[in-house]
Amino acid sequence: MSAYLLFIILILILTCFYYVAKNRSLLLVDGDIKKLHSLPTHYGWSAGVNSFIPGFIILSIWAISKDSLINKLMISQLGTEAASLPAFELNALLNNISNYVATGAGDENLAVYAEYYRTVSEKIAWSFFLASIGVSCISGYYTLYKMSPAVNSRNHLETIIKVLLLAFSVIAIITTIGIVFSLLFESIRFFDQISITEFVFGTKWSPQTAIRADQVGSSGAFGAVPLFMGTMLITVIAMLIAGPIGLLSAIYMAEFANKRIRKIAKPLLEILAGIPTVVYGFIAALVVAPFIRDTGALFGLEIASESALAAGIVMGVMIIPLISSLSDDVISVVPQSLREGSLGLGATQTETILKVILPSALPGVVGALLLATSRAIGETMIVVMAAGMAANLTINPLEAVTTVTVQIVALLTGDQEFASAKTLSAFALGLALFFTTLALNAIALIIVKKYREQYD
Amino acid sequence: MTDTPDNDQATARVTWHSEEQKSRLKSRYRKEKIFKFFAMSSLAAAIAALVVVLGSIIMTGSSGFTETRIEMDIFLDKTILGDLPTNDRQEFEKQVAGANINRILVSSLQKEFPEVTKRSDVFALLRLFSVGAQTDIRDVILNDPSVIGETVPVDLLASSNVDMLIKGNISRDIPETDRKISDQQIAWVDQLNNAGKVTQGFNWSFFVSGDSREPELAGIWSATIGSFLTLLVTFLIAFPIGVGSAIYLEEFAPKNRLTDLIEININNLAAVPSIIFGLLGLAIFINYINLPRSAPLVGGLTLALMTLPTIIITSRAALKAVPPSIKEAAIGLGASHMQTVFHHVLPLSMPGILTGSIIGMAQALGETAPLIMIGMVAFIVDTPGSIMEASTALPVQVYLWADSPERGFLEKTSAAIMVLLAFLIIMNGLAIWLRQKFEKKW
């Protein structure tokens, strides 16, 4: 009695109605297709889909509400004693019963309830099963019954498809809502335990909460300032590398380079953009960090092997292609007439670029830089692999810092107790990250829209 | 133009051939040169970075595809193996699996090195070989039961430390206490090497085995299958939904608030960091819907939500590129709007849509952070058989190995990255091929 079986049966019913309706539509007009409003396949699909949708709705209700429905019935069966149990114990009891049903092993006292569980779940499954098939058949049959050459089943079918396409588009909204709410709910639970002011202004981050009261050194401090500072530091280093290099390469490719160089360089930059971030992280940890440490040692500098500099440089390399391709787009949109006008007045190419083209493309360039910044802030793998874990509040790029994303990963990997402040803090960090990147993207969009020069 | 006289006077005063003007011109040209140089070196720096990245991967990774084997004469002692029922294949395999192969290996080693008697030295000698060496001996017995009781030469898999030594990744110069292989062991390896018993061959097991704690036994097969299953789920969900919403937004959406909201959301989602999608997957799919942790199903769902914006945006561009004349012709011939879209516009824009989808899938293949969030980082040896079983994925395998302190995993990491990059190149190449072959210029 699984949902899959029911689904397959519904598909079979759909197929049956499709063929019956298709043939019946032709029979209605004695094979003279011209007298039909729609094509026979439209009549077929229309009946098939009409039979499938109500059955499928019941199937989904069953799949979603099955567990809670059975649990509710079980609780009423267990009596008032069980209902007064704390939620945690009640859940454990229900789990034990369902395990008993599944494996046949467990506490013998549960046997009575397991029997009840089995009959109830069987009854529920059967009723939904029959209801689904019944409704499906009735609905399909009704469409068949109402069918006549004048019924515009094509329009009916197209409306259904249009609604389906709309539903697909709405998934984007649902995803956003899902992100916001899942982050928000867990964050609210976190802020029940830790005050917002401590999170936003606190300068000490050590998320290990004590399991026993007498434990040493695990007080649990959730001041996120060091994380934000660490993220900022690495992002600034990355932007200092990627900003000039990305922009200048875009300028070179758009203004100076001949066709051949462009044809070679562009795909190469695309390869750079296509390299997975985990590879960059590996390079940062394997090549760049030791190189920086050794170079520092040559000059007598003590550089942490997980320095912010290493992560920042590699992150900079990662976002070079993003900046260069976005700037390339805005630079090539600048109309040719501006270039020619400037060159015609005797300006050198450099003067044209710096005094005419860049000012005109500035909003787009600023937008590109902001998008790149938002990408750097949200980047995870490079910093997870190359930046440190200790939350140092410093702006020295030679020291190890940690970032928001590193902490999210660290807090949520391994065994975890979901309701603890430690795990919940990851969602609070995620919320902060989400809104920061959202704000940066929105600002970028507004700048591009508001200050864009219109040449037409 | 009331101020022309002044201007005329001003320009008239400039003598272009004066020294002052010449030096001004010179400095302008110098600036031009400097700027051009900086622009060019920026591009060169970006390309150099690419070379460094790929170069260091290839340099450290290419040796990961070879393995070291040591040929040993193994005496398949009947007294140790016991009476094996050679006529009953199933029982035979069971007994071989349970046989004390370790003792066979030890006694054969003692025959080869009679001077080694101390217990700790025997262990040191044994550690030249991988635990996989026992499998090699077992395979010999299983392949041909008639060799039991005889002495046969077997190519045994060397341990990772010997492998590293042979490949030169462990330096002999550093003090003995700092290296994982002792001077005595190095002497044995050299002795065997001089006798021509140490060989290097292509490491097939890297491609066909799963993860392992031993670097010389670790492979990428289960991670590859995990990635494949994850991507399959991603594609099956993201492609229909993505193309469907692209069709709706491009062809049917009325201009209203809802449409605007959808478009804003798609653009925002495209810029949301991938780790946020991981948090979403953890909170919704695992904690709320109770789907199994670490399963390709959850990974695929999460990545599908992440790639959806890419697919929608590229599909819309492809749909937009179909000229209106085609639509008008279809509508003029009596097709409905829906028929026009599904019979003409969609097939014509399919190459573009597929190109965009493949690029989106390539992104999803390289994505690591969301998969870590939903628990695909566990140490998993077995190949997942379905989308509900715990599994890992290629980029996550890279991450896990990169974290491992063993020297032997370093080249495995780079080798796995090379395989990952090869997949990405194939996918992107396919996308480019599709675009060039089927794209029509209207």
Side-chain angles (χ1 to χ4, degrees), chain A residues 133-180:
Chain A
I133 293 175
V135 167
S136 167
C137 289
I138 292 171
S139 166
Y141 185 76
Y142 182 75
T143 319
L144 272 183
Y145 174 73
K146 279 279 171 187
M147 202 166 79
S148 77
V151 168
N152 42 7
S153 62
R154 186 178 79 185
N155 307 31
H156 171 72
L157 193 64
E158 289 183 352
T159 314
I160 291 175
I161 294 177
K162 222 187 256 183
V163 171
L164 187 71
L165 292 178
L166 174 63
F168 281 170
S169 317
V170 172
I171 285 179
I173 300 182
I174 296 173
T175 310
T176 312
I177 294 174
I179 289 176
V180 172

Side-chain angles (χ1 to χ4, degrees), chain B residues 105-246:
Chain B
L105 183 57
V106 169
S107 62
S108 301
L109 283 177
Q110 278 173 329
K111 216 167 272 175
E112 182 83 23
F113 297 92
E115 73 279 7
V116 179
T117 48
K118 241 171 66 186
R119 210 178 152 74
S120 60
D121 283 347
V122 174
F123 275 123
L125 189 56
L126 194 61
R127 271 202 295 276
L128 294 183
F129 299 91
S130 159
V131 251
Q134 301 193 17
T135 322
D136 295 330
I137 298 176
R138 264 195 203 102
D139 285 346
V140 169
I141 303 174
L142 287 175
N143 272 341
D144 183 11
S146 65
V147 295
I148 295 171
E150 289 170 31
T151 300
V152 283
V154 185
D155 264 344
L156 297 174
L157 187 62
S159 75
S160 176
N161 290 332
V162 174
D163 190 37
M164 288 297 111
L165 181 77
I166 297 289
K167 285 171 183 167
N169 289 336
I170 289 181
S171 167
R172 290 159 191 257
D173 304 331
I174 49 176
E176 187 177 6
T177 46
D178 290 353
R179 65 178 127 71
K180 289 202 138 183
I181 186 163
S182 67
D183 287 339
Q184 177 65 66
Q185 284 176 314
I186 291 182
W188 285 326
V189 172
D190 287 342
Q191 186 187 335
L192 288 167
N193 204 1
N194 291 335
K197 297 211 162 172
V198 180
T199 51
Q200 284 199 299
F202 190 74
N203 188 358
W204 283 110
S205 69
F206 180 67
F207 292 97
V208 295
S209 59
D211 196 6
S212 169
R213 298 274 185 223
E214 312 297 326
E216 73 275 9
L217 292 176
I220 52 166
W221 177 248
S222 48
T224 310
I225 294 298
S227 265
F228 173 75
L229 290 175
T230 308
L231 274 197
L232 190 71
V233 174
T234 305
F235 184 78
L236 288 181
I237 291 169
F239 185 73
I241 294 181
V243 176
S245 31

Side-chain angles (χ1 to χ4, degrees), chain A residues 19-30:
Chain A
Y19 280 108
V20 171
K22 189 177 147 192
N23 292 336
R24 194 176 131 83
S25 66
L26 277 171
L27 283 177
L28 279 174
V29 289
D30 299 327

Side-chain angles (χ1 to χ4, degrees), chain A residues 42 154 158 166 169 173 176 178 248 252 276 278 282-283 286 346 348-351 380 385 412-413 418 430 441, chain B residues 28 32 35 40 42 56 244-245 248 265 269 271 275-276 279-280 287 336 338-339 368 372 402 410 414 417 424:
Chain A
H42 288 135
R154 186 178 79 185
E158 289 183 352
L166 174 63
S169 317
I173 300 182
T176 312
L248 282 173
Y252 184 77
V278 68
F282 180 63
I283 293 291
L286 173 83
T348 62
Q349 224 173 344
T350 303
E351 287 159 351
T380 310
M385 294 168 85
L412 290 180
T413 39
F418 201 76
N441 292 325
Chain B
R28 283 174 66 202
E32 164 92 12
F35 184 75
M40 197 167 74
S42 294
S56 43
S245 31
Y248 179 77
N265 270 303
L269 283 181
I275 191 170
I276 299 288
L279 287 175
L280 171 78
N287 285 330
S336 71
M338 192 68 72
Q339 285 171 324
T368 323
I372 292 179
L410 183 69
S414 295
I417 288 175
L424 289 177

Side-chain angles (χ1 to χ4, degrees), chain B residues 293-316:
Chain B
R293 252 178 99 83
S294 317
L297 175 67
V298 182
L301 280 168
T302 309
L303 291 182
L305 292 182
M306 203 195 77
T307 38
L308 207 50
T310 316
I311 295 184
I312 294 176
I313 291 167
T314 47
S315 301
R316 284 188 72 175

Side-chain angles (χ1 to χ4, degrees), chain A residues 23-75:
Chain A
N23 292 336
R24 194 176 131 83
S25 66
L26 277 171
L27 283 177
L28 279 174
V29 289
D30 299 327
D32 185 4
I33 200 165
K34 274 184 282 180
K35 287 186 187 153
L36 283 175
H37 169 276
S38 311
L39 291 170
T41 48
H42 288 135
Y43 287 102
W45 275 114
S46 180
V49 169
N50 272 355
S51 78
F52 181 79
I53 289 175
F56 185 71
I57 290 173
I58 292 181
L59 166 68
S60 333
I61 293 174
W62 176 37
I64 292 167
S65 67
K66 184 172 58 177
D67 288 341
S68 61
L69 199 61
I70 291 176
N71 280 355
K72 231 172 236 164
L73 286 170
M74 279 309 296
I75 290 168

